[in-house]
Amino acid sequence: MDSLFDVNKKAEDRSDELLEFECEQAMLRKAYAPPEIDTEWTKIQQNIHRSEKRRKRRTHYNVSMQLRYFSFGAIAATLTLLVILYVFRPQRQSVSNGPVTVFLAQRGKQAVTITGNGNRVAYPVGSGAKPSLSGAVVNTEKADFTNVESNITEVKTIMTPRGKDYKVILNDGTEVIMNTDSKLIFPVKFTGSKRIVTLEGEAYFKVAKNASKPFIVRSGRLETLAVGTEFNVRAYDKSVPHVTLIEGKVVVNVAGTAKKVYLRPGEDVSLTNDDMNIKNVDSQYYIQWKEGFLYYDDVPLVDVLSDLGRWYNINIEIEKSSLMAYRLHFIVNKSAKIDEVIDNLNDFEYLFVRKIGNKIIISEKN
């Protein structure tokens, strides 16, 4: 048995070790700037992969609903604001654990804009300022090009603002629902042997069938080829691109390489570095954004916050970079006010969220 002297000596040693550790951390914080978000997130993802099997799920149920089994039809009928199911708390691994800016708001009035043939001037849709296009129907809810005159070869660019979706009907009858903060480049009239459009952001495609003229979506390094099918493409800047097949079949390839995959309904492919990763998914979860919900199933907090920043056009900062890896199951009704979203985020056991002006700050609850 240890003597009283031994016990006191061990306590002093532990105190000295703690003081030394705190001094070391203080020097590191002084010497190194806060982490760059993409680099830090890559490190955290690697740590998550190593500790995935050791993490325990911590579940927080909304007191008004039991959600072990539910359909989105039920959610649409009964969920008015938000539902929180659970959060995973990863182990802390990072030495540099300073604040990280997750999202920056855009200034100025937000509106759907349209340009033609590379013009720099973006005309707000519905303002009456844009030049007319014979046969096209363009308003604040949709742009329909199915009846444009056959001799028009103009290329259009439509951009959606923060906090708004928009529907585009292409000349061949293909329907495109654009998510918030997205850009679609397309010819007013398809010519040649292929129908090619370019996407930045996210959109749902319901492609008109034409076996002799395949439809191609270019989104970053991914190219998705379809004949007549429905799929979702997510390709926001600085995020992992995804293609999720709902109906039919598509071929997805990496531009400039021989890599390609054939997707079946219910499959999702993502591109990380040069690796194409296919997994079976409940595809309905990937397209709820067009039905009025933001749905997250075991998704890192940083991704949830990026989408919230994009939809509400608000600055978001995480005080500790380690919080970025918390994984949530979270559902947001897009008609909810941002204050209601914050209230529900605060229901999580480990998160403290506050709003100062047009900025949301996320920290760890004490």
Side-chain angles (χ1 to χ4, degrees):
M1 179 178 297
D2 292 336
S3 66
L4 181 60
F5 173 82
D6 292 330
V7 172
N8 290 336
K9 182 65 169 60
K10 290 179 179 179
E12 291 175 359
D13 290 343
R14 285 195 297 270
S15 178
D16 290 342
E17 290 174 359
L18 179 60
L19 179 60
E20 181 180 354
F21 175 79
E22 291 178 347
C23 290
E24 180 183 355
Q25 297 302 300
M27 293 300 294
L28 286 172
R29 287 192 294 269
K30 182 177 180 180
Y32 298 99
E36 197 276 327
I37 184 169
D38 290 333
T39 302
E40 185 65 23
W41 178 231
T42 299
K43 294 178 182 177
I44 291 173
Q45 284 179 310
Q46 292 170 350
N47 291 331
I48 292 171
H49 180 73
R50 287 193 295 267
S51 61
E52 185 72 30
K53 294 183 179 180
R54 299 193 301 269
R55 286 202 307 268
K56 295 182 179 179
R57 293 189 176 187
R58 295 181 179 264
T59 306
H60 179 90
Y61 286 95
N62 184 288
V63 295
S64 64
M65 303 183 69
Q66 293 298 324
L67 294 168
R68 177 172 297 179
Y69 303 101
F70 64 95
S71 67
F72 277 99
I75 289 177
T78 61
L79 180 62
T80 57
L81 297 177
L82 308 166
V83 177
I84 302 171
L85 297 183
Y86 53 78
V87 60
F88 302 144
R89 187 181 187 181
Q91 298 175 353
R92 293 189 184 92
Q93 301 283 347
S94 176
V95 172
S96 182
N97 196 18
V100 175
T101 298
V102 174
F103 199 85
L104 292 174
Q106 290 180 345
R107 294 183 179 181
K109 186 177 180 180
Q110 301 290 299
V112 177
T113 59
I114 184 169
T115 59
N117 283 345
N119 293 337
R120 293 185 177 182
V121 178
Y123 298 97
V125 169
S127 67
K130 66 178 181 58
S132 61
L133 183 62
S134 181
V137 177
V138 180
N139 54 46
T140 56
E141 299 303 319
K142 70 175 182 180
D144 188 344
F145 297 93
T146 54
N147 295 316
V148 297
E149 294 182 356
S150 59
N151 61 343
I152 296 177
T153 58
E154 188 173 356
V155 174
K156 290 289 187 185
T157 300
I158 292 181
M159 292 178 287
T160 55
R162 305 275 171 86
K164 183 173 177 59
D165 304 333
Y166 194 68
K167 184 175 183 178
V168 181
I169 305 176
L170 303 177
N171 180 250
D172 65 337
T174 293
E175 296 181 8
V176 185
I177 301 177
M178 300 175 63
N179 202 350
T180 180
D181 200 20
S182 298
K183 178 193 291 187
L184 183 69
I185 303 173
F186 60 96
V188 171
K189 189 79 175 181
F190 286 114
T191 59
S193 60
K194 298 178 182 178
R195 298 171 287 170
I196 301 175
V197 302
T198 301
L199 172 72
E200 297 177 17
E202 184 169 20
Y204 181 87
F205 292 85
K206 186 176 181 180
V207 177
K209 293 183 179 181
N210 187 338
S212 63
K213 187 177 290 189
F215 190 94
I216 298 174
V217 180
R218 292 175 175 168
S219 50
R221 297 181 62 202
L222 291 183
E223 290 187 351
T224 305
L225 184 149
V227 173
T229 188
E230 297 185 33
F231 57 94
N232 192 79
V233 178
R234 181 178 175 88
Y236 283 109
D237 186 34
K238 296 182 180 179
S239 67
V240 176
H242 285 260
V243 177
T244 310
L245 182 58
I246 311 303
E247 294 182 9
K249 55 185 178 180
V250 298
V251 181
V252 183
N253 65 78
V254 181
T257 75
K259 295 183 178 180
K260 64 181 179 180
V261 296
Y262 295 81
L263 293 186
R264 295 177 295 181
E267 289 185 334
D268 172 270
V269 62
S270 60
L271 180 67
T272 304
N273 297 324
D274 287 326
D275 295 327
M276 302 181 77
N277 308 299
I278 302 177
K279 64 179 180 179
N280 293 312
V281 298
D282 186 338
S283 56
Q284 289 302 310
Y285 294 160
Y286 283 73
I287 60 175
Q288 283 304 306
W289 63 266
K290 72 184 185 70
E291 305 298 335
F293 296 94
L294 301 177
Y295 180 89
Y296 307 97
D297 184 16
D298 188 19
V299 174
L301 174 63
V302 66
D303 293 342
V304 175
L305 294 176
S306 294
D307 278 357
L308 292 178
R310 189 175 290 115
W311 180 252
Y312 290 100
N313 192 35
I314 193 167
N315 299 303
I316 299 180
E317 179 183 287
I318 295 179
E319 286 192 339
K320 292 183 178 181
S321 60
S322 59
L323 291 173
M324 295 195 301
Y326 281 23
R327 303 184 75 86
L328 310 182
H329 190 118
F330 197 53
I331 302 172
V332 180
N333 187 320
K334 290 162 71 175
S335 64
K337 303 297 184 183
I338 187 60
D339 290 339
E340 297 165 330
V341 178
I342 292 173
D343 287 343
N344 282 270
L345 284 172
N346 276 317
D347 283 341
F348 283 120
E349 182 179 354
Y350 302 111
L351 300 178
F352 174 62
V353 185
R354 64 191 189 275
K355 180 173 177 284
I356 302 176
N358 194 43
K359 183 177 183 179
I360 294 175
I361 301 173
I362 295 89
S363 56
E364 189 173 22
K365 280 183 182 175
N366 296 325

